Amino acid sequence: MISRFTHMLSELLDKRIEDIPQATRERATWMVADTVFSSCFGFAAPELQGYLAVVGVSQKDEKHSIPVLGTGLYTTKEHAAMLYGTAIVSNELDEGNQFAKGHPAAHMLAPILITAWEEKATGMEILRAFVIGYEVASRLAYASNMNDDMHPHGTWGNVGGAVAAGLLMKKDKQAIVEAALLTASLPIATSWEAAVTGMTVRNLYSGVGSFLALQAWTFQEAGFCSSEHVVDHLWGTILSKGIRYELFESDLWAPPLLDKNYFKLYPSCRFSHSAIDALLALQKEERLDASQIASAKVETYSLAARLNDPNPVNALSAKFSIPFLLSAILHGHSLYDSFAGEIFSDRSVRELAQRIEVTEDPEMTAMLPNKRAARVTVTDHQGVTYRAFVDAASGNYDQPFPREELLGKFASMLAVCVCSGDQTNEIIDQALALPDVNDFGEWLERLAASTGKRGAGSQ
């Protein structure tokens, strides 16, 4: 029955750029920009700066030809895959898809970027590869519904990256199917515990996945192979409790699943965003003073209810802690500033987080995957309660396109490596002009030159 996967893939490979609706192309353009800027921001992470110190060079040469945005450095294509895949997810700002239950674009940008660089691809060729690769990866995730104890990074998303790279290399249909089966047979074993305990190997999962997506073509060209049977056994038995085969083709391209993505508007795990939105809605209605709050309760769906640790030990685990996130907001802090230094260690923030309870509401769990809901109830020291409910987080596909919010997000991410506001606006305009690009290599070099204000690495 996994033949329905390869049949779906074969059908998608026939899609031309003309077959992609204009609205889908526009959304994909914003998604590419969002992912590119997430990587640029992510390269400021200490572990990535350490990685760049080993594998980055300041002068481009035949081996070190791929620019690393925001750093002024170059590296090899193998290290670029690892670096970009990791950087994109390092700050919890990467887009995602609630039907895939994960982050497709994070696994496709590095293979696309590197291959488009080598092939001198056009912007339209990139958008076609991005949309088709996104659909393939999301459909595999949607149909197989991977075990919740696993983290999605480095698993099904790799397949979309390999498919997108194959399209840019203009490989024939049979070769792309073979590479997709190979990549689907090489997911890494991941743990959700890495995320909630703040272990940055969780970020490296997507870096390794991007490397595997790119390397799949070396394997395929060398003659390695897999089969539908192997993929069926792996994804239907080992990684999940079974495949819903009909979801490979149900409503295929009507619309593409990319049209149902979400954009992150807060730098935290997406599962926390409904609770954040409910609290922000409550704050618009009531003047909530953190010092007057006795307790708070969050009722939400099962996946989000796991984000219940009130005492995160580091920045990454704090991005997976609803109690900490809500306490920081109640204290008037921006989440962009809350994961290090005085705010992260603030006694009042920590004490209130201990009094914020997170529980599952089975009715909200039953609303998945179409709705991701949360209810926040705040009780003050006088016993007065305040309550707000949302059935979906901001940035979701079924809400107005968050153009202004995304422009603000892009500016915030670029602030780490760009000097002036005027320059930031120029870079954003350049990224959003991707459909008109004739040579992606030139586009990437200009973007690298514009963002190369932060350096690290060796000669």
Side-chain angles (χ1 to χ4, degrees):
M1 291 292 287
I2 201 68
S3 58
R4 297 183 73 166
F5 168 72
T6 52
H7 182 268
M8 174 268 294
L9 172 57
S10 180
E11 184 173 334
L12 290 173
L13 293 175
D14 288 331
K15 300 295 182 183
R16 304 164 301 163
I17 189 65
E18 295 81 7
D19 298 322
I20 299 175
Q22 181 57 39
T24 303
R25 292 189 221 172
E26 182 178 1
R27 193 174 192 93
T29 300
W30 282 80
M31 290 164 68
V32 171
D34 184 66
T35 310
V36 165
F37 296 146
S38 292
S39 73
C40 191
F41 187 35
F43 285 125
E47 59 274 11
L48 282 159
Q49 288 287 291
Y51 192 170
L52 279 165
V54 178
V55 304
V57 300
S58 58
Q59 297 297 322
K60 179 181 178 182
D61 58 36
E62 185 175 350
K63 182 178 180 182
H64 302 84
S65 60
I66 308 297
V68 182
L69 296 177
T71 70
L73 301 176
Y74 293 85
T75 192
T76 66
K77 76 176 207 178
E78 293 80 13
H79 286 304
M82 297 282 289
L83 284 161
Y84 274 98
T86 304
I88 289 163
V89 303
S90 288
N91 290 293
E92 277 300 309
L93 287 164
D94 46 314
E95 73 82 45
N97 191 292
Q98 63 199 55
F99 297 92
K101 204 166 66 175
H103 310 273
H107 295 81
M108 297 198 315
L109 182 74
I112 286 176
L113 180 151
I114 294 163
T115 309
W117 168 270
E118 293 181 327
E119 299 293 328
K120 300 185 182 301
T122 68
M124 285 299 187
E125 288 171 337
I126 289 167
L127 290 176
R128 174 175 176 259
F130 185 85
V131 173
I132 294 173
Y134 193 104
E135 185 77 11
V136 172
S138 299
R139 287 281 170 175
L140 176 59
Y142 190 22
S144 58
N145 193 26
M146 192 173 66
N147 294 329
D148 287 340
D149 285 340
M150 291 187 66
H151 197 284
H153 288 351
T155 57
W156 46 261
N158 311 349
V159 182
V163 168
L167 287 167
L168 291 171
M169 289 187 281
K170 297 180 172 57
K171 295 289 187 178
D172 63 47
K173 185 181 292 188
Q174 183 58 38
I176 294 177
V177 170
E178 290 172 2
L181 291 173
L182 265 176
T183 316
S185 303
L186 293 170
I188 62 175
T190 63
S191 169
W192 181 257
E193 288 299 302
V196 296
T197 58
M199 298 297 102
T200 49
V201 67
R202 171 261 182 197
N203 300 335
L204 202 55
Y205 290 160
S206 60
V208 174
S210 295
F211 171 80
L212 287 170
L214 202 61
Q215 198 67 16
W217 282 103
T218 302
F219 300 150
Q220 190 273 338
E221 290 166 1
F224 288 96
C225 61
S226 187
S227 67
E228 293 175 345
H229 172 72
V230 170
V231 174
D232 192 58
H233 178 240
L234 186 59
W235 286 92
T237 304
I238 298 173
L239 299 178
S240 74
K241 295 180 175 65
I243 297 174
R244 292 180 59 190
Y245 298 100
E246 72 278 7
L247 294 182
F248 283 127
E249 298 174 292
S250 177
D251 297 322
L252 187 63
W253 212 249
L257 279 179
L258 181 146
D259 285 2
K260 295 185 176 182
N261 91 308
Y262 60 76
F263 290 97
K264 283 188 177 181
L265 302 181
Y266 314 119
S268 62
C269 174
R270 174 64 174 185
F271 297 158
S272 69
H273 289 203
S274 298
I276 291 171
D277 279 330
L279 177 61
L280 293 176
L282 192 57
Q283 285 185 314
K284 287 184 179 179
E285 298 293 329
E286 308 289 344
R287 296 184 61 183
L288 299 175
D289 183 341
S291 66
Q292 300 302 311
I293 294 173
S295 64
K297 181 177 182 179
V298 177
E299 300 162 276
T300 187
Y301 55 96
S302 57
L303 299 172
R306 298 184 296 176
L307 311 187
N308 60 0
D309 181 6
N311 191 34
V313 297
N314 55 34
L316 182 57
S317 60
K319 295 172 187 284
F320 286 79
S321 167
I322 288 177
F324 176 85
L325 296 165
L326 298 197
S327 180
I329 292 170
L330 285 165
H331 280 82
H333 300 307
S334 164
L335 292 183
Y336 279 91
D337 302 323
S338 298
F339 303 112
E342 294 181 2
I343 296 174
F344 181 72
S345 304
D346 182 84
R347 181 175 178 179
S348 181
V349 171
R350 291 293 183 156
E351 287 180 348
L352 179 55
Q354 297 290 333
R355 303 195 301 274
I356 298 177
E357 178 187 10
V358 182
T359 63
E360 179 191 357
D361 182 327
E363 292 185 2
M364 295 186 196
T365 300
M367 296 165 68
L368 295 173
N370 294 297
K371 297 292 184 180
R372 292 188 169 185
R375 180 182 297 106
V376 173
T377 303
V378 176
T379 304
D380 67 19
H381 289 301
Q382 286 70 48
V384 179
T385 60
Y386 309 90
R387 184 176 289 109
F389 170 82
V390 299
D391 64 3
S394 56
N396 207 44
Y397 72 94
D398 57 358
Q399 299 183 24
F401 191 84
R403 187 180 305 269
E404 293 304 316
E405 293 88 342
L406 284 173
L407 290 174
K409 175 186 175 182
F410 295 170
S412 294
M413 292 190 290
L414 286 170
V416 300
C417 55
V418 177
C419 294
S420 69
D422 288 343
Q423 190 180 14
T424 295
N425 292 335
E426 291 175 6
I427 292 169
I428 293 172
D429 289 344
Q430 180 187 339
L432 295 176
L434 179 63
D436 300 322
V437 167
N438 292 318
D439 183 339
F440 180 76
E442 294 179 0
W443 181 90
L444 187 61
E445 282 280 22
R446 290 199 307 273
L447 196 62
S450 299
T451 61
K453 304 299 182 183
R454 182 186 66 234
S458 60
Q459 295 297 321

